[in-house]
């Protein structure tokens, strides 16, 4: 770039975000809770996309241990599961040397900004969150205050980096909308144009993978039936068995997607096949039109084993060296902190909080 009046090289534009200067489309942040049983839904809805997006975006991938303790956690399990999620990111293809992989509690700006957002977000907004309503159930007076404030911490995870894009499964859409509302309200209240309005990235044929036991319920880490989900730690035999036993109806597969309406279990298996094979659900139904589940399920099981077992194997190799995972997390946290610190410092300035640290 040259200055047209003097012909001298122009100084880099200080307002251009660093990712734009590197020719990237934006900055991504996403998080996964270290609460055990990472499953096919987590993989197809989120983690697989983490690796796919990394050539076009600057990426921060976070194990959200502070979100995990909104419900009780065994301390030793929390540490082990934090390492397990970090290894899943890496095993799924995230490049830990180029991208930033870290755990939330190691970067204090998340909690600092979350407090500020607790004071920006309104009680009514939080009360409308379906994830809170599902998790609290009839017990809402007895759940932790943290569970209620959970979405404000999630907004802080994203906005501490001014992230522009967030890859997630469909169930997180409402939380991203709340993040946008918090950013807008902060900008309006303080008459600044500070936080970006973040876009969700909900991509693929299986953005909401359903339970293998009940096609109307989301596949979930907390489902008491292990048969309801494919865990990323399941071996090939277990994966095959679970797909063979997956609930379906007695009809053969139809020749088009309309024929699947009212058949949620069948629709779910078609979506999962499509996502694993990188096909559209239309193409899968065309290929298997008229087939019985006795034919389709083994094909799906083979496909799932072929796609998942390299990841499972890599994950267990990585987990044999916990010190190395901790090193990656620590290094990631230092790089994350270098981005978040100046942003949160600017937030303090905007709010009028004095920060003349003598240390
Ligand atoms: P969580 O396990 O709740 O921390 O979720 C981690 C990521 O996986 C989030 O982006 C979720 O949206 C995504 N996810 C969780 N369950 C599913 C599912 N059944 N189908 C698709 N994505 C999911
Ligand atoms: N709430 C998300 C879930 O349950 C996890 C999460 C926490 C997250 N912070 C985030 C996801 C920031 C994306 C961005 O799945």
């Amino acid at each position: 770039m040259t200055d047209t009046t003097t012909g001298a090289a122009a100084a880099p534009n200080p307002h251009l975000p660093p990712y734009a200067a590197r020719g990237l489309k934006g900055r991504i942040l996403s998080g996964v809770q270290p609460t055990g049983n990472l499953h096919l839904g987590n993989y197809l809805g989120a983690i697989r996309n983490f690796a796919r997006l990394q050539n076009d975006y600057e990426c921060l991938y976070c194990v959200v241990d502070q979100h995990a303790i909104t419900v009780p956690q065994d301390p030793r399990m929390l540490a082990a599961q934090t390492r397990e999620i970090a290894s899943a990111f890496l095993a799924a293809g995230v490049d830990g040397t180029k991208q930033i992989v870290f755990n939330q509690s190691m970067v204090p700006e998340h909690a600092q900004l979350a407090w500020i957002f607790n004071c920006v977000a309104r009680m009514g907004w939080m009360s409308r969150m379906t994830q809170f309503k599902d998790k609290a159930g009839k017990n809402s007076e007895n759940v932790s205050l943290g569970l209620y404030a959970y979405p404000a911490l999630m907004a802080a995870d994203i906005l501490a980096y001014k992230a522009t894009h967030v890859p997630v499964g469909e169930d997180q859409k409402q939380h991203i909308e709340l993040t946008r509302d918090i950013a807008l309200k902060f900008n309006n209240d303080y008459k600044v144009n500070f936080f970006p309005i973040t876009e969700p990235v909900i991509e693929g044929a299986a953005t909401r993978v359903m339970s293998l036991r009940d096609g109307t319920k989301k596949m979930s880490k907390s489902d008491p039936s292990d048969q309801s989900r494919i865990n990323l730690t399941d071996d090939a035999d277990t994966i095959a068995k679970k797909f063979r036993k997956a609930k379906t109806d007695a009809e053969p597969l139809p020749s088009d997607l309309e024929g699947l309406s009212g058949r949620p279990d069948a629709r779910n298996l078609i979506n999962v096949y499509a996502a694993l094979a990188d096909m559209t659900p239309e193409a899968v139904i065309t290929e298997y039109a008229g087939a019985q589940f006795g034919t389709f399920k083994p094909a799906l099981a083979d496909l799932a084993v072929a796609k998942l077992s390299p990841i499972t194997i890599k994950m267990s190799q990585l987990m044999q060296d916990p010190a190395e995972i901790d090193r990656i997390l620590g290094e990631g946290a230092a790089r994350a902190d270098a981005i978040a610190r100046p942003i949160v410092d600017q937030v303090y300035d905007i709010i009028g909080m004095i920060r003349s640290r003598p240390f």
Side-chain angles (χ1 to χ4, degrees):
M1 226 190 303
T2 51
D3 185 314
T4 47
T5 52
T6 64
N13 179 352
H15 301 295
L16 207 60
Y19 58 78
R22 284 164 50 201
L24 299 171
K25 292 184 190 158
R27 179 181 284 157
I28 277 181
L29 179 126
S30 193
V32 176
Q33 299 188 70
T35 45
N37 293 331
L38 210 51
H39 55 69
L40 185 64
N42 298 130
Y43 178 65
L44 293 178
I47 296 173
R48 180 170 76 159
N49 292 339
F50 292 0
R52 293 188 167 192
L53 292 160
Q54 67 184 343
N55 296 327
D56 292 331
Y57 294 83
E58 176 188 7
C59 303
L60 296 114
Y61 295 124
C62 180
V63 186
V64 289
D65 47 7
Q66 288 169 311
H67 277 110
I69 61 158
T70 55
V71 296
Q73 300 293 337
D74 175 318
R76 261 172 317 160
M77 293 289 283
L78 185 69
Q81 284 165 356
T82 299
R83 295 188 186 104
E84 185 175 316
I85 303 289
S87 25
F89 292 171
L90 301 170
V94 171
D95 181 341
T97 59
K98 292 213 185 87
Q99 311 302 341
I100 302 179
V101 173
F102 67 108
N103 61 314
Q104 189 183 33
S105 60
M106 239 195 281
V107 182
E109 288 80 6
H110 292 242
Q112 292 171 347
L113 191 57
W115 178 258
I116 291 165
F117 288 168
N118 282 346
C119 303
V120 173
R122 306 288 94 182
M123 297 281 281
W125 299 1
M126 297 302 185
S127 306
R128 282 194 289 276
M129 292 297 111
T130 55
Q131 184 167 309
F132 174 74
K133 288 193 263 185
D134 289 349
K135 285 198 179 176
K138 293 194 192 84
N139 197 24
S140 67
E141 288 294 304
N142 255 327
V143 296
S144 73
L145 186 54
L147 190 70
Y148 193 61
Y150 177 116
L153 176 59
M154 177 161 163
D157 298 339
I158 297 166
L159 295 174
Y161 305 94
K162 294 192 174 181
T164 56
H165 294 80
V166 183
V168 277
E170 181 116 3
D171 61 340
Q172 294 303 310
K173 203 168 166 207
Q174 197 186 29
H175 285 158
I176 309 290
E177 277 158 15
L178 188 94
T179 300
R180 294 160 68 103
D181 289 342
I182 289 178
L184 270 174
K185 186 161 177 5
F186 180 93
N187 288 350
N188 279 334
D189 286 355
Y190 291 102
K191 304 191 173 40
V192 288
N193 182 9
F194 188 73
F195 285 121
I197 306 305
T198 306
E199 293 290 334
V201 182
I202 301 176
E203 269 177 10
T207 56
R208 187 177 174 81
V209 177
M210 308 309 274
S211 157
L212 299 182
R213 306 303 310 154
D214 178 353
T216 63
K217 266 176 42 190
K218 195 178 72 169
M219 184 177 284
S220 145
K221 289 172 176 171
S222 57
D223 194 314
S225 162
D226 195 57
Q227 299 301 314
S228 70
R229 63 180 162 262
I230 304 290
N231 301 305
L232 285 195
T233 47
D234 284 344
D235 60 22
D237 269 1
T238 313
I239 294 178
K241 257 187 222 134
K242 284 181 178 174
F243 275 121
R244 269 206 308 277
K245 286 198 190 142
K247 183 172 164 242
T248 41
D249 47 46
E251 302 294 312
L253 284 166
S255 55
D256 57 26
L257 290 181
E258 273 92 86
L260 287 175
S261 67
R263 299 175 66 186
D265 300 291
R267 176 73 217 219
N268 184 42
L269 296 186
I270 295 290
N271 287 353
V272 167
Y273 189 107
L276 287 169
D278 268 314
M279 292 166 73
T280 61
E282 288 82 358
V284 177
I285 205 79
T286 307
E287 188 175 325
Y288 284 95
Q292 300 290 340
F293 283 106
T295 312
F296 179 71
K297 282 178 174 177
L300 173 57
D302 286 349
L303 175 64
V305 169
K307 296 285 177 179
L308 297 180
S309 59
I311 298 166
T312 312
I313 292 167
K314 188 93 219 268
M315 254 175 90
S316 58
Q317 282 168 353
L318 289 165
M319 280 192 296
Q320 272 158 25
D321 192 353
E324 174 59 10
I325 299 175
D326 293 2
R327 192 197 62 75
I328 293 171
L329 291 173
E331 195 210 41
R335 289 160 65 203
D337 189 79
I339 301 174
R341 189 68 261 160
I343 293 176
V344 174
D345 278 348
Q346 286 174 64
V347 172
Y348 283 0
D349 284 343
I350 291 169
I351 292 180
M353 286 172 161
I354 296 169
R355 50 177 189 86
S356 56
R357 278 190 292 262
F359 44 84

